[in-house]
Amino acid sequence: MGALTDKYCIVGVGETPHMRPSNRTTLSMACEAVKKAMADAGLEPRDVDGMTSYQAGDSTTSNHVATSLGMRLNYSVDIFGGGSSTEALIGNTIGLLEAGYCKTMVIFRSMNGRSGRRMGGQAPSGPVPPTRAAEDNQFMMPWGWTSPAQRFGMSAMRYLRDTGTTTKSLAEIAVAHRYHASLNPKAVMRHPITIDDHQNSRWVVKPLRLLDCCLETDVSACLIVTSRERAYDLRQPPVFIMGGTGRTMAPNSAWNYSRPEIHYVAGNYGRNRLFGMAGISQKDVNLISCYDAFTFTTLIQLEAYGFCGKGEAGEFVKGGRLQIDHELPSNLSGGHLSEGYTHGVSMVIENVRQLRHRADDACPGWAEGTHSYDRQAGCRQVKDARIAACLGWGTETMSSSAILRGIAA
Amino acid sequence: MATAREKPRPLIDNLTRPFWEAAREHRLVIQRCQDCRYFNHPPRSVCNACHSAALTFEPVSGRGTIYSFSVMYQPNVAGFGDELPYLNILVELEEQPQLFLVSNLSEVQREQVRIGGQVEVYFEDVDAELTLPKFRLIA
Ligand SMILES: [Zn+2]
């Protein structure tokens, strides 16, 4: 068990709609998300004295958001990074709260991820202008190899060949996450898809098809963390932070070096720390969020975090195992593939709502924790959801994670 | 028609200049540790294996194996629009396990690409200042 296991809680969550495009500033969107999270928790601006965020030179910063909302912060630090940041900042936060740097902390991400700078290197008007590729990039970009889809596609190709997995296993993930999105009024893509739909979608970067790729959107999303003593007085059932990892590295952070295979990803090195700190095993986990920038990143992390054996994920995901009412429901909001791309925050938000037993679905009583469990009627609440694993991803060589526990089930 | 000037070009620095200057002369050189003989690519400030700073560039055979590949269909990258779909390969050079180079496979051999394919380097002069090492299948 970790020294801080269960001492700190996620007490507020909030987000803007997923917009394509927003026609708004990242500051405007961040203010909306933070205000919604504060309202969710029942907190006033004076109650929040810490704020942290992550970005890629594409967003506003904590001091501007706090000033806009009338907060005076005792701690405000913004970091550089993408998908490996959410759970890492949860780890930072509980340490800072324990040390007394502040008492209640906001974590946010805000980005015009579709209408502004896109991860795939595409500007709104078309390809990015000519680039001077610095440092390691000069050994990749001149050959036209620049985007996350290209990099992860290279790993996926080798993985498929080494394990005999086919792209129909990738399709299982796309289908599961889309099914969950069909139960999520906030999701961008809500019409269910089939394995065949996936197999018939166009190539983006072989071996990845269109339905293997996440939905870049304009969005801001926010979490609020405080001590359990404060949490007991707030609006929502508390969700306890049991353990986690922060930007755990593979032995060499250059994406394609010094591993047994290029698809032996960083989660393999964080797994024992995560479950050891939480004091549970994989079998205790009721639901997961497994970072789905691409279907492949979900697939490979099931192995990395020990939910199945090495090379077995392709079989593991078959038969709908990742779907609600099955063994290991994954990305209940629809994830980055079907709800929208937030660099990870939305996946933790969904797990919090599930652990509160308050998934914001079609059930009239969801806000009070009353659910029908009738999927035909649009209920997306996982029955008896008690423990959720959040499996973040940055690259093959870097990942972060957290395990959360609820009391509402 | 996209021109070579529109494509991403290397921002050559003191660490990487020997690689690019050798490529101009149609030679493939890789940074090598003079203490433990380990090859480092991309070039490093200290050796990945023993952390020595005694690093110089040495010629390599230019032969290797295709470790993996991907095929790009998206018009994301400036200057590559006319080449879609194009192939990137990860070449494992024969000198050392996991000594990887990102490159392209010769256009005419695109249909024959496979993991494990044996390749050798050739050099494509982009313009007067830039030459890119590329690979063709030999078996
Ligand atoms: Zn050395």
Side-chain angles (χ1 to χ4, degrees):
Chain A
M1 294 267 288
L4 303 183
T5 296
D6 291 346
K7 280 191 74 174
Y8 294 93
C9 298
I10 300 177
V11 294
V13 297
E15 71 273 82
T16 66
H18 292 270
M19 296 166 282
R20 320 200 310 163
S22 71
N23 298 313
R24 291 169 64 180
T25 63
T26 55
L27 175 59
S28 154
M29 294 191 293
C31 287
E32 179 183 339
V34 174
K35 280 167 77 172
K36 284 180 169 171
M38 285 195 298
D40 178 61
L43 290 164
E44 297 295 325
R46 66 174 174 277
D47 301 322
V48 174
D49 66 342
M51 194 177 293
T52 190
S53 77
Y54 61 98
Q55 61 159 295
D58 59 0
S59 189
T60 187
T61 49
S62 292
N63 57 324
H64 292 116
V65 176
T67 300
S68 301
L69 298 179
M71 300 168 181
R72 194 200 60 77
L73 300 178
N74 288 315
Y75 180 92
S76 63
V77 170
D78 305 287
I79 66 163
F80 188 83
S84 65
S85 306
T86 313
E87 293 87 353
L89 288 180
I90 290 172
N92 287 5
T93 295
I94 65 174
L96 290 160
L97 296 174
E98 177 77 8
Y101 279 74
C102 53
K103 58 185 193 300
T104 297
M105 185 122 137
V106 160
I107 300 170
F108 79 87
R109 174 79 172 106
S110 185
M111 59 180 180
N112 281 313
R114 185 175 190 89
S115 65
R117 198 188 128 185
R118 294 180 69 167
M119 294 303 285
Q122 199 172 23
S125 53
V128 289
T131 310
R132 291 293 248 182
E135 302 181 339
D136 284 4
N137 280 335
Q138 69 189 278
F139 296 101
M140 303 174 192
M141 295 175 74
W143 290 270
W145 198 67
T146 69
S147 71
Q150 290 177 291
R151 295 188 184 199
F152 304 159
M154 192 81 89
S155 303
M157 186 70 83
R158 180 74 193 198
Y159 176 85
L160 297 176
R161 187 266 198 181
D162 283 352
T163 61
T165 303
T166 72
T167 62
K168 286 193 175 173
S169 292
L170 300 179
E172 292 274 0
I173 292 164
V175 168
H177 294 184
R178 180 62 64 83
Y179 175 46
H180 298 153
S182 77
L183 305 172
N184 178 4
K186 308 184 300 297
V188 172
M189 301 296 266
R190 298 194 61 198
H191 60 280
I193 55 171
T194 64
I195 302 276
D196 282 345
D197 290 335
H198 170 277
Q199 296 284 298
N200 293 328
S201 67
R202 67 176 172 84
W203 294 114
V204 173
V205 180
K206 216 174 201 173
L208 303 176
R209 297 177 169 91
L210 184 65
L211 291 178
D212 290 306
C213 302
C214 68
L215 300 171
E216 292 180 302
T217 61
D218 299 347
V219 66
S220 179
C222 171
L223 305 166
I224 302 179
V225 179
T226 195
S227 69
R228 66 179 171 217
E229 290 81 3
R230 287 191 184 86
Y232 297 147
D233 293 329
L234 298 178
R235 269 190 69 216
Q236 302 285 354
V239 170
F240 297 84
I241 300 160
M242 301 179 75
T245 60
R247 290 193 184 170
T248 300
M249 286 169 57
N252 188 320
S253 65
W255 78 279
N256 56 1
Y257 294 89
S258 298
R259 297 190 296 275
E261 302 95 21
I262 62 172
H263 46 75
Y264 192 75
V265 299
N268 288 284
Y269 300 91
R271 174 170 75 218
N272 289 347
R273 184 166 292 275
L274 171 66
F275 285 96
M277 196 184 295
I280 62 159
S281 82
Q282 287 83 351
K283 284 196 245 0
D284 299 312
V285 172
N286 306 120
L287 68 149
I288 60 171
S289 56
C290 194
Y291 200 93
D292 56 350
F294 303 94
T295 51
F296 174 68
T297 60
T298 298
L299 189 81
I300 196 68
Q301 295 222 111
L302 295 170
E303 294 183 13
Y305 285 98
F307 289 94
C308 61
K310 193 164 179 284
E312 295 173 2
E315 280 303 310
F316 183 81
V317 299
K318 285 184 181 166
R321 184 175 265 157
L322 301 185
Q323 293 183 24
I324 194 165
D325 298 324
H326 290 69
E327 184 181 326
L328 191 67
S330 166
N331 295 32
L332 275 300
S333 69
H336 292 164
L337 292 174
S338 288
E339 184 190 34
Y341 189 41
T342 63
H343 286 181
V345 185
S346 55
M347 299 181 175
V348 178
I349 289 178
E350 175 67 12
N351 289 347
V352 168
R353 290 185 172 130
Q354 290 283 342
L355 294 172
R356 291 171 173 176
H357 221 74
R358 282 156 176 76
D360 49 350
D361 57 16
C363 293
W366 69 261
E368 292 78 45
T370 308
H371 286 280
S372 67
Y373 310 106
D374 180 351
R375 310 308 169 201
Q376 301 297 327
C379 177
R380 111 169 167 275
Q381 178 64 48
V382 174
K383 240 182 188 172
D384 301 324
R386 290 175 191 281
I387 295 181
C390 314
L391 310 175
W393 162 281
T395 64
E396 285 87 341
T397 64
M398 191 166 283
S399 77
S400 303
S401 62
I403 291 179
L404 308 177
R405 181 174 70 83
I407 56 170
Chain B
M1 183 70 192
T3 71
R5 282 282 166 197
E6 290 175 326
K7 292 183 173 182
R9 296 174 70 87
L11 186 61
I12 297 169
D13 55 38
N14 289 334
L15 187 63
T16 64
R17 186 165 291 109
F19 176 93
W20 292 110
E21 287 184 347
R24 285 296 306 143
E25 299 162 4
H26 290 204
R27 294 185 301 117
L28 186 64
V29 301
I30 299 290
Q31 190 196 47
R32 191 171 198 185
C33 177
Q34 299 305 299
D35 284 327
C36 79
R37 308 299 291 155
Y38 189 79
F39 286 100
N40 296 278
H41 183 80
R44 290 287 175 251
S45 299
V46 295
C47 172
N48 271 347
C50 78
H51 322 301
S52 165
L55 301 163
T56 60
F57 285 76
E58 294 187 8
V60 291
S61 68
R63 284 187 299 274
T65 305
I66 297 177
Y67 183 90
S68 193
F69 65 93
S70 63
V71 190
M72 178 66 160
Y73 287 77
Q74 287 283 99
N76 283 15
V77 188
F80 281 86
D82 295 334
E83 296 171 30
L84 296 172
Y86 63 89
L87 195 72
N88 286 111
I89 56 173
L90 191 61
V91 178
E92 186 173 25
L93 295 176
E94 67 178 7
E95 276 77 9
Q96 181 176 293
Q98 298 207 325
L99 180 57
F100 291 129
L101 234 59
V102 172
S103 189
N104 303 122
L105 189 69
S106 164
E107 285 280 305
V108 297
Q109 294 180 316
R110 198 150 63 192
E111 300 303 314
Q112 292 130 269
V113 66
R114 64 184 174 84
I115 289 173
Q118 303 293 303
V119 292
E120 68 179 7
V121 74
Y122 69 97
F123 294 88
E124 190 176 288
D125 294 324
V126 175
D127 55 30
E129 287 113 53
L130 180 63
T131 297
L132 294 178
K134 298 197 170 183
F135 288 82
R136 64 167 72 94
L137 285 161
I138 52 175

PDB file of all heavy atoms in Angstrom, chain B residues 33 36 38 47 49-50 52, ligand 1:
ATOM      1  N   CYS B  33      30.827   4.684 -29.995  1.00  0.00           N
ATOM      2  CA  CYS B  33      31.584   4.926 -28.769  1.00  0.00           C
ATOM      3  C   CYS B  33      32.988   4.352 -28.906  1.00  0.00           C
ATOM      4  O   CYS B  33      33.156   3.179 -29.258  1.00  0.00           O
ATOM      5  CB  CYS B  33      30.868   4.295 -27.587  1.00  0.00           C
ATOM      6  SG  CYS B  33      31.767   4.459 -26.041  1.00  0.00           S
ATOM      7  N   CYS B  36      33.470   1.703 -25.597  1.00  0.00           N
ATOM      8  CA  CYS B  36      32.823   0.382 -25.534  1.00  0.00           C
ATOM      9  C   CYS B  36      32.384  -0.111 -26.910  1.00  0.00           C
ATOM     10  O   CYS B  36      31.847  -1.218 -27.017  1.00  0.00           O
ATOM     11  CB  CYS B  36      31.642   0.415 -24.564  1.00  0.00           C
ATOM     12  SG  CYS B  36      30.136   1.157 -25.230  1.00  0.00           S
ATOM     13  N   TYR B  38      29.953   0.737 -28.826  1.00  0.00           N
ATOM     14  CA  TYR B  38      28.511   0.713 -29.071  1.00  0.00           C
ATOM     15  C   TYR B  38      28.143   1.790 -30.091  1.00  0.00           C
ATOM     16  O   TYR B  38      28.632   2.918 -30.042  1.00  0.00           O
ATOM     17  CB  TYR B  38      27.774   0.970 -27.744  1.00  0.00           C
ATOM     18  CG  TYR B  38      26.279   0.763 -27.779  1.00  0.00           C
ATOM     19  CD1 TYR B  38      25.742  -0.518 -27.707  1.00  0.00           C
ATOM     20  CD2 TYR B  38      25.400   1.845 -27.846  1.00  0.00           C
ATOM     21  CE1 TYR B  38      24.361  -0.711 -27.726  1.00  0.00           C
ATOM     22  CE2 TYR B  38      24.026   1.661 -27.864  1.00  0.00           C
ATOM     23  CZ  TYR B  38      23.514   0.376 -27.804  1.00  0.00           C
ATOM     24  OH  TYR B  38      22.152   0.193 -27.811  1.00  0.00           O
ATOM     25  N   CYS B  47      27.470   8.159 -24.655  1.00  0.00           N
ATOM     26  CA  CYS B  47      27.121   6.826 -25.146  1.00  0.00           C
ATOM     27  C   CYS B  47      25.950   6.243 -24.370  1.00  0.00           C
ATOM     28  O   CYS B  47      25.945   6.254 -23.137  1.00  0.00           O
ATOM     29  CB  CYS B  47      28.345   5.923 -25.016  1.00  0.00           C
ATOM     30  SG  CYS B  47      27.993   4.196 -25.360  1.00  0.00           S
ATOM     31  N   ALA B  49      25.277   3.221 -23.959  1.00  0.00           N
ATOM     32  CA  ALA B  49      25.645   1.983 -23.263  1.00  0.00           C
ATOM     33  C   ALA B  49      26.538   2.248 -22.061  1.00  0.00           C
ATOM     34  O   ALA B  49      26.314   1.667 -21.000  1.00  0.00           O
ATOM     35  CB  ALA B  49      26.331   1.030 -24.227  1.00  0.00           C
ATOM     36  N   CYS B  50      27.587   3.088 -22.209  1.00  0.00           N
ATOM     37  CA  CYS B  50      28.572   3.231 -21.116  1.00  0.00           C
ATOM     38  C   CYS B  50      28.715   4.672 -20.650  1.00  0.00           C
ATOM     39  O   CYS B  50      29.492   4.939 -19.731  1.00  0.00           O
ATOM     40  CB  CYS B  50      29.924   2.672 -21.553  1.00  0.00           C
ATOM     41  SG  CYS B  50      30.850   3.787 -22.627  1.00  0.00           S
ATOM     42  N   SER B  52      30.161   7.165 -21.903  1.00  0.00           N
ATOM     43  CA  SER B  52      31.389   7.852 -22.311  1.00  0.00           C
ATOM     44  C   SER B  52      31.058   8.977 -23.283  1.00  0.00           C
ATOM     45  O   SER B  52      30.083   8.912 -24.037  1.00  0.00           O
ATOM     46  CB  SER B  52      32.324   6.846 -22.996  1.00  0.00           C
ATOM     47  OG  SER B  52      33.335   7.523 -23.704  1.00  0.00           O
TER      48      SER B  52
HETATM   49 ZN    ZN C   1      30.141   3.375 -24.771  1.00  0.00          ZN
END
